[in-house]
Amino acid sequence: MATPCHLSADLFSDSVPMSSEASIVLHRLCEELQQLDRKIVGTPQVVDDAIVTLDGNLRISVIVHTDAEIHPAIAHCHVIAELQQPPGTLDACVMGINQNRQLALADAAGSWVELVAGPLFSLLHNQSVLQAKKLDADNLYGISGADAYVGPLRFRMFDKPVDVNVVNESPMLDCVAAMAEPSDLHLVKVTLESKGAEGWVRNIEMDGHIANHADRPWRDLAAVRQSGVASRFAVVRFDNSAAWIAERQRLDDAIRRFVELYLEVADTHVAADRLRAEGIDEKLAHQIRELVPIALGRNLLAGLEIAFPPDYIRLRADGSIVPNLMLMSEPVFARASILDWRLREAGLGDAVKGLATSGAEFNAINNALNGGTSAEALKNAMMMPLLVSDANVSQAAFQRGLQQAQAIWEKQRPSRPQKPWWKFW
């Protein structure tokens, strides 16, 4: 049965029980959507525990999380949009901030309408509406092989205005395709946190909290001399979805199988050989052997907040190198990082830890800590990008590539101390 969206005064009294919080957000959402163009949003109505509009093609529900570690002035809400056509579910994590709890909940609803409604309704209408912009592969932060609509930026807690154009021109969605789950429709949240002179931290959340990644610091945006947060959302739909989903599922299955095999044999080379014997092609098996231990190792060391280099140097079989490649743009690396906790929950925790501690990067850091280097020193260390080789690279080719990589690094780094702790070759 449909009900009006109007919020009663009782919902904003100080005595609102916790169970009513989702209702506050839902009704405020409905109320704000009704203020928008009906040609775009239809006639939203609350039906039972959800908003229904566009002749039933869109159903919106709300979950409010009561996190013990989050201040009550922050309302942590998930607004879940269920679409009939195109079919899919888009889970948006939005935060409302206000010392008054009910106003914080209302602020969360306003955030969804401001930041998420545009990309969502653009997808539904197949054109840009409500300030959303359509991205393509030629756009600076467009996503290859997908249609994407990105919403406006929202800035919080900055003392002075920030140059919106500078933030808009940053490649904030550059690793979304590599991170994505094996489904064709996704909602992406990007949060950029300015730490003043320390630079920016980028956090990417996909589909609620299913896939997360943080860059600390994020080097694609120049530091500003103030603190604050900028956020935006994008809706992404991959082309040729059936083939894309199948390919991504094969990758996830191959990573999972590699971890299972490592649990049996405790040797990355043997596990990769077994993958090949089971039908995984040479290139993918090699990438998994090279990149999965790095991804899991960095996750294991995340608590140290080490500024790992986001890029790597590819070493080809002929000894030539390709610098400035992004690790998180490599699907094997990105998916291994995201699958980490699920592999642990599936009973593969020992294998995950074994792989995480098997890599040269992890061992270099572990040796430095055991040798007396402080965690703070590691946090501020300037690290050379990893050299990741293709399959069948000879020892002579490896040495040639290593010399080239070191020469590039010597020119790029700001200072030239003697051999630092992280050089493990």
Side-chain angles (χ1 to χ4, degrees), residues 38 50 54 60 62 84-85 104 111 121 151 153 155 164 172 176 200 203 218 240 272 274 356 384 418 420:
R38 286 192 176 187
L54 297 177
I60 301 171
V62 174
Q84 298 298 316
Q85 191 59 41
S111 294
F121 284 100
L153 276 164
F155 294 90
V164 177
M172 59 185 67
V176 164
W200 296 80
N203 286 282
W218 189 45
N240 193 12
R274 293 272 297 274
M384 177 178 168
Q418 297 299 311

Side-chain angles (χ1 to χ4, degrees), residues 226-238:
Q226 56 177 323
S227 299
V229 176
S231 56
R232 79 177 343 151
F233 287 79
V235 171
V236 179
R237 187 183 186 195
F238 286 97

Side-chain angles (χ1 to χ4, degrees), residues 2 16 20 34 50 71 137 149 151 164 168 185 191 210 212-213 230 275 287 356 394 397 420:
V16 175
S20 298
Q34 287 182 338
H71 193 279
Y149 292 97
V164 177
N168 264 327
L185 191 59
T191 304
I210 289 178
N212 304 310
H213 171 67
L275 273 184
Q287 284 186 321
S394 68

Side-chain angles (χ1 to χ4, degrees), residues 38-154:
R38 286 192 176 187
K39 293 179 181 177
I40 296 172
V41 302
T43 54
Q45 290 185 314
V46 175
V47 180
D48 297 327
D49 58 352
I51 297 168
V52 178
T53 189
L54 297 177
D55 298 322
N57 192 36
L58 176 62
R59 183 180 185 274
I60 301 171
S61 57
V62 174
I63 298 173
V64 179
H65 292 273
T66 53
D67 308 289
E69 68 274 15
I70 294 182
H71 193 279
I74 300 175
H76 175 194
C77 306
H78 281 247
V79 180
I80 301 162
E82 298 172 71
L83 289 64
Q84 298 298 316
Q85 191 59 41
T89 300
L90 299 175
D91 182 352
C93 174
V94 290
M95 300 287 188
I97 303 175
N98 197 290
Q99 290 296 325
N100 180 300
R101 178 66 178 176
Q102 282 68 54
L103 293 179
L105 294 165
D107 184 48
S111 294
W112 188 92
V113 172
E114 178 185 353
L115 301 177
V116 185
L120 170 62
F121 284 100
S122 294
L123 173 75
L124 290 170
H125 292 284
N126 198 29
Q127 63 178 339
S128 296
V129 299
L130 302 177
Q131 301 183 62
K133 251 189 329 187
K134 185 172 184 179
L135 306 183
D136 55 44
D138 295 328
N139 187 284
L140 179 63
Y141 47 84
I143 302 164
S144 178
D147 285 329
Y149 292 97
V150 63
L153 276 164
R154 185 181 195 187

Side-chain angles (χ1 to χ4, degrees), residues 84-385:
Q84 298 298 316
Q85 191 59 41
T89 300
L90 299 175
D91 182 352
C93 174
V94 290
M95 300 287 188
I97 303 175
N98 197 290
Q99 290 296 325
N100 180 300
R101 178 66 178 176
Q102 282 68 54
L103 293 179
L105 294 165
D107 184 48
S111 294
W112 188 92
V113 172
E114 178 185 353
L115 301 177
V116 185
L120 170 62
F121 284 100
S122 294
L123 173 75
L124 290 170
H125 292 284
N126 198 29
Q127 63 178 339
S128 296
V129 299
L130 302 177
Q131 301 183 62
K133 251 189 329 187
K134 185 172 184 179
L135 306 183
D136 55 44
D138 295 328
N139 187 284
L140 179 63
Y141 47 84
I143 302 164
S144 178
D147 285 329
Y149 292 97
V150 63
L153 276 164
R154 185 181 195 187
F155 294 90
R156 290 182 184 263
M157 298 178 285
F158 287 97
D159 295 328
K160 299 176 182 177
V162 177
D163 188 338
V164 177
N165 291 328
V166 172
V167 180
N168 264 327
E169 291 170 1
S170 62
M172 59 185 67
L173 300 173
D174 58 0
C175 57
V176 164
M179 291 176 60
E181 295 287 304
S183 58
D184 65 335
L185 191 59
H186 302 275
L187 184 66
V188 184
K189 177 183 178 181
V190 182
T191 304
L192 305 177
E193 181 181 1
S194 172
K195 299 282 190 176
E198 296 179 19
W200 296 80
V201 174
R202 176 178 69 167
N203 286 282
I204 297 179
E205 301 174 7
M206 295 186 68
D207 308 316
H209 299 297
I210 289 178
N212 304 310
H213 171 67
D215 290 297
R216 307 170 185 271
W218 189 45
R219 299 174 181 173
D220 289 299
L221 193 58
V224 295
R225 294 186 175 275
Q226 56 177 323
S227 299
V229 176
S231 56
R232 79 177 343 151
F233 287 79
V235 171
V236 179
R237 187 183 186 195
F238 286 97
D239 302 331
N240 193 12
S241 59
W244 191 93
I245 292 169
E247 180 182 355
R248 182 51 48 91
Q249 188 62 60
R250 281 194 295 270
L251 172 59
D252 283 8
D253 291 345
I255 293 171
R256 187 176 293 105
R257 183 59 181 151
F258 176 72
V259 177
E260 292 171 347
L261 290 168
Y262 184 83
L263 185 63
E264 296 177 18
V265 300
D267 185 300
T268 57
H269 289 83
V270 175
D273 288 342
R274 293 272 297 274
L275 273 184
R276 296 184 192 98
E278 293 180 5
I280 301 299
D281 69 77
E282 169 71 24
K283 181 180 177 180
L284 179 55
H286 180 78
Q287 284 186 321
I288 288 173
R289 182 177 69 79
E290 290 283 308
L291 296 177
V292 168
I294 300 171
L296 300 181
R298 290 190 176 189
N299 283 356
L300 189 60
L301 295 168
L304 296 179
E305 296 187 354
I306 295 171
F308 289 110
D311 55 325
Y312 75 99
I313 301 169
R314 177 187 171 194
L315 173 59
R316 294 190 176 118
D318 63 1
S320 63
I321 63 171
V322 184
N324 303 317
L325 301 173
M326 295 295 108
L327 278 168
M328 276 304 291
S329 293
E330 293 291 345
V332 171
F333 181 89
R335 291 304 297 163
S337 180
I338 290 162
L339 290 170
D340 184 327
W341 65 271
R342 290 180 232 176
L343 295 168
R344 294 175 187 272
E345 288 188 343
L348 296 170
D350 289 343
V352 169
K353 184 177 180 181
L355 284 165
T357 57
S358 70
E361 186 176 59
F362 179 92
N363 286 322
I365 293 170
N366 191 46
N367 290 339
L369 290 170
N370 291 333
T373 303
S374 69
E376 189 64 25
L378 296 181
K379 181 178 177 180
N380 298 317
M382 181 69 71
M383 298 177 66
M384 177 178 168

